Amino acid sequence: MTTEPMTLPDTAWFTAFRRRALRWYARHARALPWRRSRDPYRVWLSETMLQQTQVETVIGYFDRFLQALPTVEALAQADEQDVLRLWEGLGYYRRARQLHRAAKVLVAEHGGRFPCDPSVVRDLPGIGRYTAGAVLSIAFDARQPILEANTLRLWSRLLGFDGDPQSGEGQRLLWAAAEAVLPRRGAGRLNQALMDLGSQVCASRTPRCDSCPAASCCRANQEGRQADIPRPKAKPPVEAVREAAVVVLRGDRVLLIRWPEGRRWAGLWDFPRFTMTAATPAAVRRELVENVRAMTGMSVVPGQRIHALTHTVTRFRIRLECYRAEPISRDRTVTPTVEMRWVRPTALNGYPLSSTGRILSGLIAAC
């Protein structure tokens, strides 16, 4: 393990590595839709979508989003519900809401132009050091470093850093390397080369060292420690959770609620949903009645369970049970904790729902 602060390689090492990476990129660069232009809006949108999401998943969403909202001005003017509907299925919906808020700031304070000052960019909602560096280097060729999952792994192996890459020491070292390698011109192209090299060659479990242009100058490769670097993060234990969703039907309409700030899926519409602890059928019915009333102020008569599914959200393994219910009265002494709306099932496609909410919406016709 690393026992004392590491130092960076010399200038000659960085020059040689940079040349090899760019030569490799010239032959193996991925043909991605956001690389067809250096438009900062396209770069920013793609980098936001790619956070914690696979490239293959993002491509379709990126194209659809741009067709609907092709400019910063169009995004700023859009209703948040439309933005979330376009984002539906990508997850981590806070990204979409921050993207929307940042677009409004860009239009209101910068005339719809993406600023070139890194400190100003990082003040925009949802933009951190990595995203700012990616947009500024790729769109404007600014000499700004990047460090994300793929390049973090790449630099850890290149330098032979076997400490925690998320520690203060690790972050200082790896960011310093990411900056030291940048040329005076062409920083954006090099940053893209490093991301591709990290994702396509310096893979997490099976690095293709025999195909790596930097194998001869990679310390982990020289010492045979690719499998141990970077140090794996400790995974939190998976927690089992049981939830209930209630489809409240009144005539030809179904009740939707909108999650407020601070809740999972904030801004999205859903069916009344809550954590369930009851074990017996009678206790389940009581919980359904009590939770729906507390959330909406509405008294309901629970019906049969119509569906159950299991899904994962971060470290939670959730079993979701869906029940039908009918409203019988409204308690005016209870203030609803959520926004509510009665919607025809045929109109559900126009509302942004969570992935499980979308699955349940497809069951409404069978109710």
Side-chain angles (χ1 to χ4, degrees):
M1 292 182 58
T2 303
T3 57
E4 58 184 39
M6 294 184 64
T7 58
L8 294 178
D10 59 23
T11 301
W13 184 96
F14 280 109
T15 300
F17 169 65
R18 180 169 60 239
R19 287 173 178 168
R20 294 177 188 185
L22 287 171
R23 199 159 47 235
W24 175 88
Y25 185 67
R27 297 191 301 269
H28 302 286
R30 290 176 291 179
L32 301 173
W34 43 88
R35 290 180 175 171
R36 297 171 190 158
S37 163
R38 290 174 61 181
D39 175 11
Y41 175 60
R42 294 171 65 96
V43 178
W44 172 41
L45 175 61
S46 68
E47 292 298 340
T48 303
M49 287 184 164
L50 286 164
Q51 294 168 17
Q52 298 177 291
T53 308
Q54 296 293 322
V55 168
E56 293 74 16
T57 301
V58 167
I59 290 174
Y61 282 91
F62 177 82
D63 289 336
R64 286 192 296 273
F65 199 101
L66 270 186
Q67 287 175 5
L69 303 172
T71 64
V72 171
E73 290 80 5
L75 174 57
Q77 294 168 9
D79 187 276
E80 183 184 271
Q81 296 299 285
D82 295 329
V83 176
L84 289 172
R85 185 68 180 92
L86 288 166
W87 202 273
E88 187 179 304
L90 265 181
Y92 301 98
Y93 292 93
R94 185 181 180 189
R95 295 178 298 173
R97 303 183 78 203
Q98 290 177 327
L99 187 81
H100 189 215
R101 291 170 184 164
K104 290 179 178 293
V105 174
L106 288 173
V107 170
E109 300 180 12
H110 302 282
R113 295 180 178 274
F114 208 90
C116 297
D117 185 334
S119 63
V120 175
V121 173
R122 290 176 65 178
D123 281 340
L124 293 170
I127 297 187
R129 186 177 182 182
Y130 162 71
T131 303
V135 177
L136 292 175
S137 66
I138 296 170
F140 302 114
D141 200 25
R143 194 176 181 275
Q144 290 291 317
I146 62 165
L147 193 66
E148 41 76 65
N150 292 312
T151 51
L152 181 147
R153 181 174 59 252
L154 176 66
W155 281 116
S156 293
R157 286 173 173 163
L158 285 168
L159 301 177
F161 179 71
D162 58 5
D164 180 0
Q166 299 297 341
S167 67
E169 177 195 5
Q171 287 289 292
R172 285 190 294 272
L173 175 71
L174 302 177
W175 275 107
E179 183 171 10
V181 77
L182 294 175
R184 291 176 182 166
R185 293 182 182 146
R189 182 172 177 80
L190 179 62
N191 279 338
Q192 292 178 94
L194 297 180
M195 286 190 283
D196 276 13
L197 188 60
S199 64
Q200 303 302 298
V201 176
C202 195
S204 178
R205 295 183 180 177
T206 54
R208 297 166 47 214
C209 299
D210 56 339
S211 303
C212 181
S216 63
C217 58
C218 174
R219 186 170 177 181
N221 180 58
Q222 293 168 356
E223 298 175 356
R225 296 192 297 155
Q226 302 93 316
D228 302 321
I229 298 177
R231 183 189 299 180
K233 293 188 295 184
K235 294 184 178 180
V238 176
E239 183 178 340
V241 176
R242 187 172 169 225
E243 293 184 351
V246 186
V247 176
V248 183
L249 292 165
R250 186 180 69 184
D252 64 346
R253 295 175 187 262
V254 63
L255 179 66
L256 284 186
I257 63 158
R258 189 181 183 190
W259 293 114
E261 292 288 345
R263 295 292 299 271
R264 188 204 317 165
W265 301 318
L268 297 183
W269 293 86
D270 201 357
F271 305 98
R273 184 190 302 236
F274 51 87
T275 301
M276 187 162 58
T277 59
T280 67
V284 167
R285 291 174 65 87
R286 284 196 299 271
E287 274 201 351
L288 293 179
V289 171
E290 292 169 1
N291 280 279
V292 171
R293 181 175 178 276
M295 185 180 294
T296 68
M298 193 173 302
S299 296
V300 299
V301 177
Q304 64 181 352
R305 193 180 79 178
I306 58 176
H307 192 63
L309 58 89
T310 302
H311 66 111
T312 301
V313 177
T314 60
R315 63 182 180 87
F316 299 100
R317 186 67 172 166
I318 302 171
R319 175 176 170 78
L320 177 64
E321 300 178 14
C322 179
Y323 294 84
R324 176 177 176 167
E326 295 181 2
I328 53 175
S329 64
R330 173 76 183 277
D331 187 342
R332 300 294 176 181
T333 67
V334 177
T335 301
T337 61
V338 291
E339 181 181 348
M340 300 185 296
R341 191 172 295 179
W342 290 98
V343 178
R344 285 191 170 88
T346 53
L348 288 173
N349 279 338
Y351 288 81
L353 304 175
S354 66
S355 297
T356 52
R358 183 60 62 195
I359 292 171
L360 297 181
S361 73
L363 301 173
I364 300 302
C367 291

